[in-house]
Amino acid sequence: LVQDLEASLKPRNPVERANLAVVSIATSTGFGSGFFISSDGFIVTNRHVVRGSPENDQKVETAIDESEKKLEQVRKMLGSEKRRLDAFARTLEKDREELQKALKREKKRLDTEKVKEARQSIQERARYLSEWRTDYQSRYQKYRAAVNEFKSKRDDFRKKNRRLASQSRFTVTLADGREESAVLYKISDRLDLALLKLNGFVTPCLQAADASRAALG
């Protein structure tokens, strides 16, 4: 692998040669980075890369709770408005029916001007109801779309976190873009560090500072 990377990338100085040891790590929740620390394929990375960050997860869950509360408030407001809208529609229909009945029973004895005013009132309220209903439906559809988007993102976040919690194999991208599969070797209990292992290769690696000085001296 060392020969392949050197032939492909042709490092011209110590910095470019050190970059041969750097890898990108793909997980179920995103990407991280690491580097080879030995020629037998050990890769050091951060624990939060392979297991996530509890602090960040808690922040996201808090944001999820707040979003759920806001959506619930909107749901209640829309529900209350829908009941008022329906009540308005029932009252309008009742007034329309009563006017029609009155016209049938005693059309000749009714005040023409009052009948005209009643009809005009019903027409105006009908227009108002139509505009209100259209506006309500538009806002309700936006609310439903927001709920669906929220649930999709929430469920996707939790699903990926569950997968990450048990993930033991990771795709690592080498310096030349080549992809290989590395296994999780060890996770530190105290530090934000983890070890992966790429088996079957002699790998480039970063040397410790004292080892580098010894090699130069």
Side-chain angles (χ1 to χ4, degrees):
L1 185 58
V2 176
Q3 293 177 346
D4 290 344
L5 290 172
E6 288 182 345
S8 174
L9 299 176
K10 299 179 175 58
R12 294 166 296 181
N13 53 57
V15 173
E16 291 183 356
R17 185 172 295 278
N19 282 336
L20 299 182
V22 178
V23 300
S24 174
I25 303 167
T27 75
S28 62
T29 60
F31 295 88
S33 60
F35 54 88
F36 289 109
I37 58 170
S38 68
S39 61
D40 54 353
F42 280 103
I43 302 168
V44 68
T45 186
N46 296 110
R47 179 176 58 191
H48 69 258
V49 170
V50 296
R51 282 296 178 263
S53 166
E55 294 80 8
N56 183 67
D57 290 347
Q58 183 57 51
K59 289 180 181 178
V60 174
E61 287 294 342
T62 298
I64 287 174
D65 290 341
E66 292 175 352
S67 295
E68 287 178 336
K69 291 177 182 178
K70 290 179 181 179
L71 287 171
E72 177 62 15
Q73 289 176 348
V74 174
R75 185 192 68 79
K76 290 180 178 180
M77 290 172 60
L78 288 171
S80 176
E81 182 179 358
K82 182 62 166 56
R83 289 189 291 272
R84 296 196 306 272
L85 193 156
D86 290 343
F88 186 91
R90 287 193 298 269
T91 300
L92 177 61
E93 185 60 27
K94 181 179 178 181
D95 290 348
R96 183 183 286 117
E97 291 175 355
E98 289 181 352
L99 177 60
Q100 292 300 321
K101 290 178 181 179
L103 288 171
K104 288 180 180 179
R105 287 197 311 266
E106 42 191 340
K107 181 176 182 181
K108 294 181 179 180
R109 291 186 295 172
L110 292 176
D111 186 316
T112 304
E113 191 62 31
K114 288 185 177 180
V115 171
K116 181 179 178 181
E117 289 177 357
R119 282 175 170 167
Q120 184 176 354
S121 174
I122 289 173
Q123 289 173 355
E124 289 175 353
R125 284 188 290 160
R127 283 195 296 270
Y128 174 77
L129 176 62
S130 177
E131 293 173 357
W132 184 6
R133 183 173 284 133
T134 298
D135 178 64
Y136 173 84
Q137 288 297 334
S138 175
R139 287 181 286 113
Y140 182 77
Q141 291 302 321
K142 290 179 180 178
Y143 160 75
R144 290 305 311 169
V147 168
N148 291 336
E149 181 180 8
F150 165 76
K151 287 183 177 180
S152 176
K153 290 182 177 180
R154 178 199 62 191
D155 295 347
D156 186 54
F157 167 76
R158 290 174 174 172
K159 180 180 179 180
K160 287 181 177 179
N161 265 11
R162 288 194 296 269
R163 288 174 56 192
L164 184 62
S166 60
Q167 188 171 353
S168 61
R169 187 171 290 275
F170 301 84
T171 298
V172 295
T173 303
L174 307 181
D176 63 351
R178 173 177 171 179
E179 293 184 350
E180 296 290 347
S181 179
V183 296
L184 181 61
Y185 187 81
K186 188 174 180 60
I187 300 175
S188 173
D189 294 329
R190 298 181 299 104
L191 303 175
D192 185 22
L193 294 173
L195 276 179
L196 305 181
K197 180 74 162 59
L198 179 61
N199 293 313
F201 296 97
V202 175
T203 57
C205 61
L206 298 182
Q207 294 183 332
D210 56 351
S212 298
R213 285 196 295 271
L216 292 173

